[in-house]
Structures are given as structure tokens and as C-alpha cells.
Amino acid sequence: MYDLATTEHGALAVGHTFGTLPEGGAFEFFPVTLALFQGDRFVGGELFELEDLDAARARFEELRPKTSP
């Protein structure tokens, strides 16, 4: 749906998934997706519930490469 942050090390975005379960019944999910990159390669990812957006943002910052002083 929309990007929250995009840097060289990764991206943080909110998505929207919906459909019908195999047993019947509709579902809807708004995942917060954290994607990690090394150069132009995707190297990993994590999913969070929308209610855990603050934790997702903190994790995104935690994974930011440290710069030397």
C-alpha cells in the first residue's frame, strides 16, 4: 500500500493481502514488511502485524549498518 522507509540497507512498507480461506470465509491482512538488501540483492525479510509498527520501525533501525566515527 505504501512505503514507510527506503534506504540502501532495506525497505519498510505496509501491504494489503486479502482472499478466501480454503475452508471458506474471507480474510484480510495488513502486513508490515521489512526487506533487507546487500547491494542490489535481497538477502532477507521480516513480517510484522500492523499493530507492531513501532517494533518494525525499531527493528529497521537496528539493522541499519553502523558507520564508523
Side-chain angles (χ1 to χ4, degrees):
M1 287 179 40
Y2 55 91
D3 293 331
L4 299 168
T6 303
T7 66
E8 288 185 12
H9 85 283
L12 190 63
V14 175
H16 182 214
T17 302
F18 59 93
T20 304
L21 298 169
E23 306 82 28
F27 74 90
E28 189 172 33
F29 179 49
F30 294 89
V32 178
T33 304
L34 190 161
L36 298 172
F37 307 114
Q38 285 181 351
D40 61 353
R41 290 184 32 213
F42 171 78
V43 294
E46 299 181 19
L47 287 176
F48 296 82
E49 297 280 344
L50 188 56
E51 296 82 24
D52 297 324
L53 180 56
D54 289 340
R57 287 182 191 269
R59 180 70 172 143
F60 184 75
E61 289 304 318
E62 178 183 324
L63 294 171
R64 183 183 297 272
K66 309 298 183 249
T67 57
S68 301

